[in-house]
Amino acid sequence: MTRQHTNLQHKVHDSPEETKLLAETWYSPRGFPGWFTQVNQRMIGRRFIITGFIFFLLAGILGLLIRTQLAGPEQEFLGPELYNQFFTMHGTVMMFFFAIPVMEGFAIYVVPLMVGTRDMAFPRLNAFGYYIYLIGGIVLFGSLLIGMAPDAGWFNYVPLAGKEYSPDYGVDIWTTMITFIEVSALTAAVELIVTILRLRAPGMTLNRMPLFVWAALVMSFMIVFAMPAVIVSSTLLILDRLVDTQFFLVDSGGQPLLWQHLFWYFGHPEVYIILIPALGMISTIIITFTGRPIFGYTALVLSVVSIGLVSFGLWVHHMFTTGLPQLGMSFFTAASVTIAIPSGVQIFCWIASLWGAKIRFATPMLWVLGFFAIFVIGGLTGVMVASIPFDTQVHDTFFLVAHFHYVLIGGAVFPLIGALYYWWPKFTGRLMSEKAGKWSFWLAFIGFNVTFFPMHQMGLEGMPRRVYTYTAEMGWGDLNLLSTLGSFVLAAGFGVTLINAIWSLYRGQPAGANPWNAPTLEWATESPPPSYNFRHIPMVESRWPLWDWQRSGERSVVTGLSHWRREVVLTSVLDATPIGVQILPKPTIWPFTSAVAASSGFIGIIFHPIFFVMGFFLVFFTLVAWFWPRRPWKEDE
Ligand code: HEM
Ligand SMILES: [Cu+2]
């Protein structure tokens, strides 16, 4: 099936008929049918991003309601039951349904463009992953509307989450919906790994890969290794609750700590699954807005890889107060402190890159600078709580809430918003307003610190997290009021970006192909890219192809790919030398039907095990249809 396809040419002649044919071949169905049949990578990526931000909005509103409840002592605005549901939903949705999917969404949208290909390796699997995510999120949020939301916290500890203390459906919904998000994350991870390793443009050797692509690769491998642990733990809990197994029941010899080990074996890396793509975004933005190659490319790559590896050896620092053996805990303290080294390498390489550069202070760059300030504070409190005596003191207080919001919002949300401003012109063809972007940044930056900095103090004074109110004598009222006011400023900051985004769709300045003068391939095609991404697959000769082309005034491309079927160039893993072409499938309804079939089974088992059997058969039939043998290379010949 391999064909000759790499006639290297410097001038290519594009006939309009061929371009039209290509556009038809890669056509993505629009309108209502398109909702259920699209498979093109940019469509799926866009959906992940939009859906993820909607969940961010919803979970953010819950955060504001939590803050409103805590604004003064002895308030009954929410009451204990609702408060428990709200912080559980806030944490769960933020971590599982916003942060991971949104990062995946950016990777799904941007990575194929960055590596210069026309789609991802398994377009239908991609679509399947999205539907599973969407259905899981809707059911989870639906449970809140009918008052059955989970309420055992985002880490859902047993025995609290066991049948005895949580007899309602809430925890069942939690465990099942977590399975949804795991499946979806795994599909995206597999997808990204294969795309990055096999579909890179010819010449893009591993050490010419953009740093965001490296980050997406490490993130994906981490998902593959981390997610199964929580699949195991949530499945065991489903079994305990549904068919009376005893994995976590102390009375019958079960092990509640097993839950914590499995959960945090996933849970700690999860924080880095969110952080690492953000690191990639930061490097990308720094390169573009300093206008020169980054300092320490290899050091940055190695440190991202080692953060990924080391983060699997830290999970016990979430369990310092569970009475584990001293020696083991010391190991995990050491490992937790060690992660500061590769993180420090990142920071130093970035500082060196910024040093003496002519920095353009456009909005994406501002969010990156905001990241520096906030993330460094979060990192410092992280090293503090890695010390066992200190952790024992502040465990389960608002100090922790302050710490992880500094890391999560500073480390992930700020870079994410920066990346949104950065890639927005590529996504939509229009620039967002710089002025509004700066307002948004300053409101969010100030609001963030006013909200979360006082929480350090509250925590040191002993204010526990996850408790719906406090008495006036404790004297925590003033700081809490300040924090609540701050949270509304923070929300206003994000709100300005939302309005800016919508406004720009109609009024934004047209962007052109490369408005920021960036060096990576996603900017080598129109904004927004056509259905086939690139008219010709580019050839890459360095890490900064667009800057090369500017200097030399010419570019090399691959010609000879078919116009009438979906072909992409397959390249070798290390050197990206072309080894063949791969034919990708067309839009289809089957991923959607399979997702619905799988969901019906999963949701059904909350109520009765028989639905598992039913779901199994439904999935089987839809998969048969999905994989019905076709010979795409024969079809049109
Ligand atoms: C929009 C701004 C936000 C506000 C005002 C906010 C506020 C809060 C507050 C007050 C709590 C503590 C509740 C308690 O322990 O009693 C909390 C918990 C939490 N937040 Fe946020 N938050 C925000 C954004 C985020 C983001 C972006 C993430 C993650 C990406 C996040 C993840 C969490 C998690 C995991 C918990 C722990 C939930 C639990 O204890 O089970 N938050 N948040
Ligand atoms: Cu951790």
Side-chain angles (χ1 to χ4, degrees), residues 5-16 18-19 118 524 534-539 549 553-561 563:
H5 57 77
T6 50
N7 326 323
L8 182 56
Q9 286 181 218
H10 292 297
K11 260 218 165 89
V12 268
H13 174 70
D14 296 338
S15 83
E18 281 179 355
T19 309
R118 286 182 174 161
F534 297 93
R535 180 64 185 82
H536 299 282
I537 303 299
M539 303 269 294
W549 297 341
E554 57 181 24
R555 65 168 81 175
S556 323
V557 298
V558 177
T559 58
L561 282 180
H563 296 106

Side-chain angles (χ1 to χ4, degrees), residues 17-315:
E17 296 85 65
E18 281 179 355
T19 309
K20 196 162 154 263
L21 189 57
L22 198 60
E24 278 162 19
T25 303
W26 289 90
Y27 176 72
S28 202
R30 300 273 156 163
F32 189 67
W35 284 72
F36 308 100
T37 54
Q38 286 178 348
V39 295
N40 291 34
Q41 137 265 334
R42 283 186 306 105
M43 300 299 151
I44 306 292
R46 189 170 74 178
R47 289 187 193 174
F48 266 106
I49 296 172
I50 295 174
T51 316
F53 274 115
I54 291 175
F55 282 125
F56 177 60
L57 182 74
L58 294 175
I61 292 172
L62 292 180
L64 290 182
L65 292 172
I66 294 172
R67 278 307 333 157
T68 310
Q69 160 66 27
L70 294 175
E74 289 158 66
Q75 293 201 99
E76 290 299 328
F77 169 59
L78 291 181
E81 279 87 26
L82 217 49
Y83 188 84
N84 290 353
Q85 294 187 7
F86 279 16
F87 75 67
T88 302
M89 287 290 287
H90 167 77
T92 305
V93 172
M94 283 293 191
M95 299 301 280
F96 289 104
F97 289 85
F98 157 64
I100 296 185
V102 132
M103 290 301 179
E104 287 164 357
F106 270 84
I108 289 173
Y109 195 109
V110 177
V111 163
L113 291 167
M114 270 191 157
V115 302
T117 186
R118 286 182 174 161
D119 206 330
M120 299 191 83
F122 314 109
R124 293 183 173 183
L125 187 66
N126 217 5
F128 175 80
Y130 172 74
Y131 294 121
I132 286 281
Y133 159 54
L134 180 68
I135 296 172
I138 291 176
V139 173
L140 187 68
F141 244 96
S143 74
L144 191 67
L145 296 182
I146 54 173
M148 284 210 294
D151 55 2
W154 91 276
F155 32 79
N156 204 48
Y157 281 166
V158 286
L160 176 61
K163 220 173 177 174
E164 191 181 347
Y165 300 103
S166 299
D168 296 342
Y169 283 126
V171 171
D172 294 313
I173 291 175
W174 188 94
T175 37
T176 319
M177 291 314 116
I178 292 310
T179 310
F180 275 59
I181 203 68
E182 290 145 7
V183 170
S184 155
L186 282 172
T187 60
V190 170
E191 189 83 51
L192 282 163
I193 292 174
V194 180
T195 305
I196 294 172
L197 294 184
R198 300 314 298 273
L199 298 185
R200 300 200 305 278
M204 187 182 280
T205 57
L206 272 192
N207 69 358
R208 288 177 187 161
M209 251 166 43
L211 287 161
F212 181 70
V213 177
W214 269 109
L217 185 65
V218 174
M219 167 188 85
S220 305
F221 271 109
M222 291 182 69
I223 290 178
V224 169
F225 285 99
M227 285 283 174
V230 74
I231 297 192
V232 170
S233 61
S234 54
T235 307
L236 296 184
L237 184 59
I238 293 177
L239 289 174
D240 266 13
R241 296 180 54 94
L242 199 69
V243 293
D244 293 322
T245 54
Q246 332 258 308
F247 291 105
F248 301 119
L249 300 182
V250 197
D251 297 344
S252 22
Q255 277 287 354
L257 271 194
L258 174 65
W259 171 271
Q260 294 201 21
H261 278 298
L262 286 171
F263 186 85
W264 287 115
Y265 179 80
F266 146 83
H268 186 84
E270 128 115 272
V271 180
Y272 289 82
I273 290 172
I274 299 169
L275 177 71
I276 282 178
L279 301 180
M281 293 166 170
I282 291 162
S283 298
T284 310
I285 293 174
I286 288 182
I287 294 169
T288 298
F289 291 95
T290 55
R292 60 184 196 185
I294 193 118
F295 177 89
Y297 173 91
T298 314
L300 283 168
V301 170
L302 290 179
S303 60
V304 164
V305 173
S306 53
I307 289 177
L309 286 173
V310 177
S311 70
F312 279 91
L314 311 184
W315 78 92

Side-chain angles (χ1 to χ4, degrees), residues 353-495:
S353 302
L354 294 171
W355 203 268
K358 276 205 232 72
I359 306 171
R360 279 182 287 157
F361 289 98
T363 309
M365 194 63 208
L366 270 190
W367 290 93
V368 166
L369 296 176
F371 153 89
F372 277 104
I374 298 176
F375 185 70
V376 167
I377 296 180
L380 288 177
T381 52
V383 176
M384 287 162 80
V385 291
S387 140
I388 296 172
F390 187 82
D391 185 61
T392 315
Q393 184 66 29
V394 296
H395 179 73
D396 263 344
T397 68
F398 261 81
F399 191 89
L400 261 291
V401 179
H403 158 68
F404 66 72
H405 283 89
Y406 266 79
V407 182
L408 289 168
I409 298 187
V413 179
F414 269 60
L416 188 69
I417 307 281
L420 186 72
Y421 276 92
Y422 180 68
W423 279 311
W424 188 258
K426 186 48 63 184
F427 295 164
T428 65
R430 289 178 188 267
L431 289 153
M432 282 202 251
S433 148
E434 279 290 302
K435 204 167 163 203
K438 289 186 174 136
W439 269 99
S440 171
F441 169 77
W442 285 109
L443 283 173
F445 185 77
I446 295 168
F448 171 82
N449 285 296
V450 175
T451 311
F452 291 100
F453 200 79
M455 289 186 190
H456 292 110
Q457 183 64 28
M458 299 175 206
L460 291 174
E461 287 174 11
M463 178 171 166
R465 64 190 279 205
R466 297 176 156 178
V467 176
Y468 86 106
T469 194
Y470 48 90
T471 55
E473 298 91 76
M474 304 308 291
W476 301 326
D478 294 344
L479 284 177
N480 269 295
L481 184 62
L482 182 66
S483 169
T484 302
L485 292 176
S487 67
F488 282 91
V489 179
L490 173 62
F494 291 138

Side-chain angles (χ1 to χ4, degrees), residues 302-371:
L302 290 179
S303 60
V304 164
V305 173
S306 53
I307 289 177
L309 286 173
V310 177
S311 70
F312 279 91
L314 311 184
W315 78 92
V316 170
H317 67 204
H318 296 269
M319 302 165 61
F320 279 157
T321 55
T322 54
L324 292 170
Q326 193 59 49
L327 184 66
M329 297 215 289
S330 307
F331 168 83
F332 283 96
T333 294
S336 305
V337 180
T338 310
I339 203 131
I341 298 173
S343 313
V345 170
Q346 298 266 332
I347 302 269
F348 282 115
C349 286
W350 290 327
I351 292 178
S353 302
L354 294 171
W355 203 268
K358 276 205 232 72
I359 306 171
R360 279 182 287 157
F361 289 98
T363 309
M365 194 63 208
L366 270 190
W367 290 93
V368 166
L369 296 176
F371 153 89

